[in-house]
Amino acid sequence: MINLENVSKSFNVYKKEPGLKGAVKSLFKREVEKKIAVDNLSLNIKEGEMVGYIGSNGAGKSTTIKMMTGILVPSSGECKTNGVIAYKNRQKNANHIGVVFGQRTQLWWDLPLTETFLVLKDIYEISDNEYNERIDMLKEILGLDEFMNRAVRTLSLGQRMRADLAAALIHNPKILFLDEPTIGLDVVVKEKIRNAIKEMNRKYNTTVLLTTHDLSDIEELCERIIIIDKGKKVYDGKIRDIKQKFGYMRTLEMCINERVDFEIVKKVIEEKFNVTSDDYSILFKDKNLSIKFNGNKIRVSDLVSHMMSILDVIDMNIKETDIETIVKKIYEHEVEV
């Protein structure tokens, strides 16, 4: 569905020395620096997949999406979307994709939302039956009825984002590109948008590429994640695999009804699990005992059982390393992928 083979994209950036002298010099001679935004990137996304595409600011995410959608032309390599080279077949490609950019809108600012959707219906040549079926579904899952007759400029950010997603889905695209679709939105609106994306994927097998800094969106919607850094792909695989590989540290939090003898707790952990102090740490404050441990060497159920046998436990909670922490370590090169 989406195929990139050794795709690179570079830009020429003009350099200017500081001050008046630099400004005058640049009038006669401009120094050019080549900036590589995407560097020899290859990836393959199958029909119906929902994939998280993430990276730090300036990593090359938006540049990649713009090449996939046909806005930008690759400097080298081949970029195909739904079997066509996007920049060579922009109109054909546009008929099969939907795009939502969190900071930009494709809605007509002064038109009521109903009129905007009717304009899009004519642009994409959607039949009356298909349009009515799809708009009814989008109204239901996105909660559009309350503002369907209002001008776009009067909508709140959350309402506009829901309307933008509906506009991107109204022609039933085969591929949906989402760039920060839930930025600045509250929990309720986020949930509506996530449910709409899931429903379109379930009902129409829509392929989704999601770029966001909100990794809870990635975990909620995607099984596969692609991480890019400085224009290069550094990880491509299942979220559960990266969690198992780098997210093995877990934390057992307990509220206990007594003082803690650290030596007894340490002795139990080291003798029962044959581990060293590198594999766990203990913190106690105000009757709250926290044990951070290596989940590859210590089973959660066994640790809980042993702690229950030596402590008067009132309540407990298990925390896993979240995907955000893992990705941060990858960005900062604390782990090798």
Side-chain angles (χ1 to χ4, degrees):
M1 185 57 64
I2 301 175
N3 301 96
L4 274 67
E5 294 291 338
N6 305 117
V7 169
S8 295
K9 181 63 181 177
S10 58
F11 300 93
N12 288 331
V13 179
Y14 292 102
K15 295 175 65 177
K16 184 180 80 69
E17 295 179 12
L20 179 61
K21 182 180 178 181
V24 173
K25 185 177 178 181
S26 67
L27 293 174
F28 301 96
K29 184 180 179 181
R30 304 180 76 181
E31 291 187 45
V32 178
E33 180 182 11
K34 190 175 184 179
K35 176 179 172 55
I36 299 174
V38 177
D39 190 2
N40 200 37
L41 180 66
S42 296
L43 58 87
N44 179 43
I45 298 173
K46 297 177 182 177
E47 183 177 4
E49 275 194 290
M50 291 204 289
V51 180
Y53 187 54
I54 63 175
S56 56
N57 290 329
K61 306 184 303 297
S62 295
T63 301
T64 310
I65 290 179
K66 287 174 182 176
M67 287 190 286
M68 292 175 180
T69 56
I71 296 172
L72 290 178
V73 179
S75 301
S76 62
E78 184 175 76
C79 177
K80 285 188 175 181
T81 306
N82 194 32
V84 302
I85 298 175
Y87 75 90
K88 289 183 178 179
N89 303 272
R90 286 191 172 98
Q91 185 171 348
K92 184 178 180 180
N93 186 55
N95 286 331
H96 298 296
I97 67 172
V99 181
V100 177
F101 290 108
Q103 299 296 335
R104 298 176 181 86
T105 183
Q106 59 179 312
L107 307 172
W108 278 265
W109 204 239
D110 292 311
L111 288 181
L113 198 53
T114 49
E115 295 296 324
T116 293
F117 289 157
L118 288 172
V119 171
L120 291 171
K121 173 182 180 292
D122 291 338
I123 290 174
Y124 290 110
E125 299 178 348
I126 306 169
S127 70
D128 290 342
N129 287 339
E130 287 179 320
Y131 174 80
N132 291 332
E133 176 189 343
R134 208 157 298 134
I135 205 71
D136 287 344
M137 182 192 73
L138 292 169
K139 279 182 183 179
E140 181 180 352
I141 59 179
L142 286 170
L144 302 178
D145 269 327
E146 59 182 289
F147 52 86
M148 278 290 287
N149 294 312
R150 287 170 51 187
V152 171
R153 57 183 167 77
T154 68
L155 303 182
S156 68
L157 176 61
Q159 291 169 337
R160 184 180 64 75
M161 288 306 303
R162 281 185 276 165
D164 260 314
L165 181 58
L169 294 171
I170 203 165
H171 60 296
N172 191 19
K174 293 182 179 179
I175 305 170
L176 180 62
F177 294 98
L178 302 172
D179 191 356
E180 300 287 359
T182 62
I183 188 169
L185 304 183
D186 61 44
V187 175
V188 175
V189 177
K190 280 187 180 184
E191 189 63 23
K192 286 181 182 292
I193 288 177
R194 288 170 179 171
N195 288 338
I197 295 166
K198 288 179 184 176
E199 180 64 15
M200 291 298 290
N201 175 259
R202 183 196 66 80
K203 188 170 184 177
Y204 299 109
N205 203 32
T206 307
T207 304
V208 178
L209 185 67
L210 170 63
T211 298
T212 180
H213 286 94
D214 187 344
L215 294 181
S216 62
D217 284 344
I218 300 284
E219 290 195 89
E220 179 74 21
L221 295 169
C222 308
E223 291 186 0
R224 178 181 169 195
I225 187 173
I226 299 171
I227 302 175
I228 186 173
D229 185 38
K230 296 178 181 177
K232 291 181 177 290
K233 182 172 65 178
V234 296
Y235 180 81
D236 183 355
K238 301 288 186 182
I239 292 179
R240 67 171 179 267
D241 292 342
I242 200 172
K243 277 190 167 184
Q244 287 173 358
K245 187 175 181 181
F246 303 115
Y248 52 81
M249 295 304 293
R250 292 172 171 79
T251 303
L252 172 61
E253 296 178 341
M254 294 175 288
C255 178
I256 58 177
N257 197 24
E258 59 186 319
R259 290 188 61 82
V260 174
D261 188 330
F262 276 94
E263 292 305 317
I264 292 178
V265 175
K266 287 173 64 178
K267 184 177 180 181
V268 168
I269 293 174
E270 291 181 7
E271 288 185 355
K272 296 291 184 182
F273 300 103
N274 191 28
V275 294
T276 67
S277 57
D278 292 334
D279 297 312
Y280 73 96
S281 61
I282 302 172
L283 179 66
F284 181 67
K285 184 179 181 182
D286 299 331
K287 292 190 176 183
N288 293 309
L289 175 65
S290 176
I291 304 174
K292 189 174 183 180
F293 61 96
N294 185 333
N296 291 338
K297 296 184 177 182
I298 302 173
R299 290 179 57 183
V300 174
S301 57
D302 291 340
L303 180 61
V304 170
S305 177
H306 289 308
M307 291 302 104
M308 293 283 287
S309 68
I310 64 171
L311 299 171
D312 183 9
V313 179
I314 300 171
D315 194 10
M316 69 173 60
N317 182 40
I318 302 291
K319 286 186 176 181
E320 294 187 352
T321 304
D322 57 45
I323 188 68
E324 188 168 358
T325 301
I326 298 169
V327 170
K328 183 180 178 182
K329 288 182 178 180
I330 293 173
Y331 290 162
E332 295 174 352
H333 306 287
E334 292 182 23
V335 295
E336 293 294 328
V337 292

